[in-house]
Amino acid sequence: MSKENVEIMSPVGSYEALHAAIAAGCNSIYFGVEGLNMRSRSANNFTIEDLKQIAATASEHGVRSYLTLNTVVYDSEMDYMKSIIDAAKAAKVSAVIAADLSVIQYANEVGLEVHLSTQCNITNKEAVRFFSKYADVIVTARELSLEQVKSITRWIKDNDIKGPSGRQLEIECFVHGALCMAISGKCYLSLDNANSSANRGACLQYCRRPYKVTDMDGGTELMIDNQYIMSPKDLKTLDFLDKVLDAGVRVLKIEGRGRSPEYVKVVTRVYRQAVDAWQKGEWSKEKLNEWNKELSAVYNRGFWDGYYLGRKMGEWSEGYGSRATTKKTFVGTITNYFKNIGVAEVKIESGSLKLNDRIYIMGTTTGVYEDTIEEIRVDLKKTDKAVKGEFCSIPTKSLVRRSDKVYIVEDVLAE
């Protein structure tokens, strides 16, 4: 069993998600700024001015920071692209994730480490050999099986293939999150229907909708198995993560820059714990069951194992939206925090807060704090419940901050 370092790479679309990922034990984070990234319209992207703070925050916690600049780039955008890379270099961002050759070339020129995006669709050793001149980390195509990936990682080690930094080239794979119906994400459905290109970060997710098949002669309409036939379920490799690691993959990428901070925290934490258990020889069925329960609690479209185990056909979502077993509901805002006694004051703005409620407290510096309410006081008196309009105090086990938002976490009843 290998004891090599394994990198958990977490998606960050907000400062809340940034701090959540760090708290959950990630080794690296990836994020986009403004345009020229594949989530430029579906996530709350940062600005160029945020680069320094993001990189500094990550570095302070020993976490690497990767800037996604992975769309196609046109001639008219060359100066803009270069200004983003220059700013990333100045901010000491660890690397840029790229697919367009102009981005790869310029990043190499200025000495910013390059990681190749899945959009490069790398499926074989010769492609790895070619791109090793320009990149230190390469994402293999999502369509490869683990046996194909393992063949590539063995070849890299046997031939001592190095990237520009002089380090041995690393292979990165997606291990969890949304999958696209298109080969390596290169979809033209939004462009064809609405002149909004997914390859420019403007996917409108037409594939996630239900469709009918219509007989043009007779007008008969059919729903195909009542499934969303272009919307794959989410990838989940947890059940065979040992096989992914045994295949030589050392960078595990979690998808989800457009998803919530609690998704980022829970998924990062689960994969961190799973990798640690694998390295220590402590993997067990009981732990796996508990981890799967946690993953099911946050946003997902149902799960399948992708193409890693050699499957030729995908599994399609059975309905629109999330299959999560829990949901969060906003209840109030932190108005004060008394650090000496570990007590937060909450203004109840919607519904109520009750004893034994599970909660998230979220903020741009706090990230995601999880707890169960053990005590509530209103006007210093103990109570079982605080309702809309009241100010109450609750004990917390770690620091939260003014303006943090408080949410109740509830189970979702199965349909």
Side-chain angles (χ1 to χ4, degrees):
M1 181 178 294
S2 173
K3 300 298 181 183
E4 297 176 49
N5 291 332
V6 177
E7 181 175 329
I8 305 293
M9 182 178 173
S10 298
V12 168
S14 66
Y15 280 109
E16 290 88 344
L18 169 63
H19 289 280
I22 291 171
C26 73
N27 303 102
S28 61
I29 54 103
Y30 67 103
F31 63 97
V33 296
E34 300 179 8
L36 303 187
N37 74 87
M38 294 297 286
R39 293 292 183 271
S40 61
R41 295 192 188 179
S42 63
N44 296 320
N45 283 272
F46 299 102
T47 66
I48 290 178
E49 287 69 34
D50 290 310
L51 281 170
K52 187 173 291 186
Q53 183 177 345
I54 295 168
T57 300
S59 179
E60 179 184 344
H61 292 87
V63 170
R64 289 170 59 81
S65 54
Y66 306 143
L67 172 67
T68 57
L69 213 166
N70 54 348
T71 63
V72 295
V73 181
Y74 297 126
D75 284 327
S76 61
E77 297 167 325
M78 286 298 153
D79 289 342
Y80 178 43
M81 176 270 289
K82 291 177 180 179
S83 71
I84 295 176
I85 291 180
D86 289 342
K89 173 73 173 176
K92 299 183 179 179
V93 168
S94 303
V96 62
I97 299 174
D100 193 289
L101 293 176
S102 67
V103 179
I104 295 169
Q105 178 175 280
Y106 187 68
N108 272 258
E109 286 178 10
V110 302
L112 181 60
E113 185 173 308
V114 173
H115 298 182
L116 293 192
S117 171
T118 188
Q119 273 71 32
C120 286
N121 194 36
I122 293 172
T123 59
N124 58 70
K125 297 166 189 172
E126 290 308 313
V128 170
R129 188 196 303 275
F130 174 82
F131 279 111
S132 67
K133 303 181 187 74
Y134 309 100
D136 286 289
V137 179
I138 290 178
V139 179
T140 49
R142 298 187 194 186
E143 296 75 35
L144 293 187
S145 70
L146 281 182
E147 282 303 311
Q148 291 171 309
V149 173
K150 188 173 186 176
S151 175
I152 291 172
T153 60
R154 281 181 174 173
W155 174 81
I156 289 171
K157 184 170 289 189
D158 291 345
N159 292 275
D160 196 23
I161 304 297
K162 292 181 170 64
S165 69
R167 305 193 314 268
Q168 185 168 288
L169 191 74
E170 290 187 309
I171 291 299
E172 172 187 318
C173 284
F174 283 89
V175 294
H176 195 91
L179 282 174
C180 179
M181 59 170 277
I183 295 292
S184 291
K186 294 179 179 179
C187 180
Y188 288 88
L189 195 58
S190 292
L191 182 64
D192 183 62
N193 282 273
N195 196 32
S196 182
S197 176
N199 301 291
R200 298 277 293 166
C203 177
L204 298 178
Q205 298 199 329
Y206 279 95
C207 61
R208 305 299 184 189
R209 303 178 182 182
Y211 286 90
K212 295 177 181 177
V213 176
T214 303
D215 174 1
M216 297 301 290
D217 291 331
T220 302
E221 292 183 343
L222 301 173
M223 293 292 291
I224 300 181
D225 293 330
N226 293 315
Q227 292 182 329
Y228 287 59
I229 60 171
M230 291 187 289
S231 178
K233 293 179 179 179
D234 283 3
L235 172 67
K236 176 169 70 73
T237 64
L238 184 71
D239 301 86
F240 54 94
L241 190 62
D242 54 336
K243 292 184 174 62
V244 175
L245 295 169
D246 287 338
V249 178
R250 288 298 172 265
V251 183
L252 308 183
K253 186 171 186 176
I254 298 166
E255 188 279 335
R257 280 190 289 137
R259 294 192 177 181
S260 66
E262 70 268 20
Y263 167 90
V264 173
K265 184 171 185 179
V266 169
V267 177
T268 300
R269 181 176 63 211
V270 164
Y271 279 86
R272 173 80 278 153
Q273 291 175 354
V275 167
D276 291 348
W278 175 79
Q279 291 179 319
K280 296 174 183 177
E282 297 175 355
W283 188 278
S284 70
K285 185 176 181 181
E286 291 73 23
K287 288 181 178 180
L288 182 60
N289 290 339
E290 184 58 36
W291 291 329
N292 274 316
K293 183 178 177 181
E294 290 186 53
L295 292 178
S296 296
V298 292
Y299 190 100
N300 67 84
R301 296 185 177 95
F303 296 116
W304 73 301
D305 53 31
Y307 300 98
Y308 286 129
L309 301 183
R311 302 180 66 164
K312 301 302 182 184
M313 294 295 292
E315 292 187 19
W316 309 111
S317 299
E318 297 168 352
Y320 181 79
S322 179
R323 307 284 89 172
T325 59
T326 65
K327 64 177 181 179
K328 71 176 191 288
T329 304
F330 174 73
V331 68
T333 303
I334 302 294
T335 52
N336 211 342
Y337 183 71
F338 303 96
K339 186 176 181 179
N340 291 340
I341 57 174
V343 170
E345 181 185 71
V346 183
K347 180 182 179 181
I348 306 300
E349 299 175 65
S350 176
S352 63
L353 190 64
K354 303 183 295 297
L355 284 178
N356 300 316
D357 276 345
R358 290 176 292 163
I359 61 167
Y360 290 138
I361 297 178
M362 299 188 190
T364 55
T365 305
T366 300
V368 180
Y369 170 78
E370 304 167 81
D371 207 347
T372 298
I373 299 296
E374 297 177 350
E375 182 180 330
I376 303 174
R377 289 179 182 262
V378 175
D379 295 330
L380 301 180
K381 297 178 181 178
K382 288 187 178 182
T383 181
D384 293 339
K385 181 179 180 181
V387 299
K388 183 177 178 180
E390 289 185 328
F391 287 81
C392 70
S393 59
I394 59 172
T396 64
K397 298 178 181 67
S398 64
L399 177 67
V400 297
R401 296 161 178 85
R402 290 181 182 181
S403 299
D404 286 355
K405 303 302 180 186
V406 183
Y407 300 85
I408 295 173
V409 183
E410 299 172 289
D411 292 332
V412 175
L413 296 177
E415 296 180 359

